[in-house]
Amino acid sequence: MSATPDFLSRDSFVERDARARVQALVDDGRFRELIDPFERLVSPWLLRQGVVTQSDDGVVVARGEIDGQPVVVLAIEGAFQGGSLGEVGGAKIAGALELAAADNRRGVPTRALLVLETGGVRLQEANLGLAAIAEIHAAIVDLRRYQPVIGIIAGTVGCFGGMSIAAGLCSYLVMTREARLGLNGPQVIEQEAGVAEYDSRDRPFIWGLTGGEQRYRTGLVDTYVDDDSTALRAAVIALFRRGRPAVERSQRCEQFLARLKRYDPAGQVTAEQVRQLLAEGAES
């Protein structure tokens, strides 16, 4: 009898929903959800526009432990409205991060883990969503003064828009091969710059520029793992054990900008060109 292929023996993290992802990450799969679906805190703005709501607004906020240490896990459900964030979901994340920082000021070393599966701001809520994301940015910067803030980008929705900035503010990032990370999504770039600049249907090209492996090789991500729940949990534990980085990645932006100035935008960029430019910025 032949051995079972590795991909069949894995416990896929990507195929889990937001709550199941939290369960896979916390110790013993046990957590306490805050503002759970039974609170029925839905977006009032989607209702007014005739859009079906979800009773948690697509965001799971959970308290538990990872590696025996208190943690708040914030998981965005990519299957609801493309993981977009509006007023309610954004406030849940920002508020939880603010409470984690307050815990640390009281001597309780609460960490934060963000599971990012999001296209960014929810267009139906526009400025309210942008304000909520700005509050998330501020809360991450505040909390990371005390504890490392880790982001996971695992699924095919990826992480884009204002939440890609949130990812960049995290102390550490973990990505899988299936995930993507970028400020603007492929269809947005194609719409604004044309298909000759960015063909949103060219999947090898897109993943070659914004996929997990490329982001890891260019120093924008700290750990690159297979789509396996056990491997992701192990990666998170290892990063938490590192403690806070000596210098946050977002504080090293000048190093990366210096490399970008060497790029000639006249021609179509390739994955290898990006790798050569940014990998140097990651090493210095």
Side-chain angles (χ1 to χ4, degrees):
M1 179 182 289
S2 60
T4 302
D6 287 345
F7 70 89
L8 291 178
S9 62
R10 292 176 188 161
D11 174 10
S12 173
F13 189 82
V14 172
E15 293 177 5
R16 290 171 173 257
D17 64 17
R19 283 179 186 80
R21 291 180 177 186
V22 175
Q23 186 178 38
L25 293 166
V26 297
D27 293 353
D28 300 321
R30 298 172 61 184
F31 63 89
R32 178 169 63 93
E33 187 169 350
L34 310 179
I35 315 181
D36 64 29
F38 295 101
E39 299 283 348
R40 302 202 178 278
L41 188 61
V42 303
S43 167
W45 311 107
L46 292 182
L47 281 171
R48 295 181 184 185
Q49 297 175 67
V51 179
V52 176
T53 61
Q54 186 161 299
S55 55
D56 57 10
D57 203 38
V59 172
V60 176
V61 179
R63 288 294 302 264
E65 292 186 348
I66 292 180
D67 199 24
Q69 298 296 314
V71 65
V72 58
V73 185
L74 311 162
I76 302 173
E77 180 55 74
F80 177 65
Q81 293 292 314
S84 61
L85 283 185
E87 181 184 24
V88 172
K92 288 171 70 173
I93 294 175
L97 292 168
E98 290 165 0
L99 289 173
D103 273 356
N104 279 274
R105 286 188 277 271
R106 290 194 301 267
V108 180
T110 304
R111 301 163 166 180
L113 176 60
L114 286 79
V115 184
L116 301 167
E117 184 93 358
T118 171
V121 69
R122 184 176 297 161
L123 297 181
Q124 294 94 335
E125 302 189 35
N127 291 342
L128 293 171
L130 288 172
I133 289 176
E135 290 175 355
I136 292 170
H137 296 166
I140 291 173
V141 172
D142 183 24
L143 177 57
R144 73 184 191 185
R145 294 185 299 155
Y146 307 102
Q147 299 288 337
V149 178
I150 297 178
I152 293 177
I153 307 170
T156 54
V157 170
C159 182
F160 295 98
M163 289 307 289
S164 72
I165 300 174
L169 292 171
C170 289
S171 306
Y172 302 110
L173 282 176
V174 181
M175 284 188 73
T176 67
R177 178 176 179 271
E178 290 76 11
R180 295 169 295 153
L181 170 63
L183 184 58
N184 291 316
Q187 292 178 323
V188 174
I189 298 173
E190 180 182 298
Q191 176 180 305
E192 297 301 319
V195 69
E197 175 67 22
Y198 210 84
D199 185 350
S200 65
R201 296 167 297 180
D202 190 342
R203 294 171 66 86
F205 173 71
I206 291 168
W207 260 263
L209 291 179
T210 63
E213 182 179 4
Q214 175 76 333
R215 293 311 196 190
Y216 173 68
R217 288 179 176 269
T218 53
L220 297 175
V221 168
D222 302 277
T223 305
Y224 174 64
V225 298
D226 290 331
D227 173 26
D228 178 73
S229 299
T230 301
L232 276 158
R233 173 175 154 80
V236 168
I237 290 173
L239 291 172
F240 272 137
R241 288 181 178 179
R242 282 193 200 178
R244 294 170 53 232
V247 180
E248 299 282 354
R249 183 181 290 104
S250 63
Q251 295 173 325
R252 296 163 42 215
C253 58
E254 293 300 328
Q255 297 175 11
F256 290 98
L257 288 173
R259 272 71 183 180
L260 286 174
K261 288 179 181 178
R262 296 165 46 196
Y263 169 64
D264 181 5
Q268 176 63 268
V269 68
T270 67
E272 184 57 34
Q273 287 175 323
V274 173
R275 191 172 298 179
Q276 291 175 354
L277 285 169
L278 294 185
E280 294 181 19
E283 295 167 0
S284 58

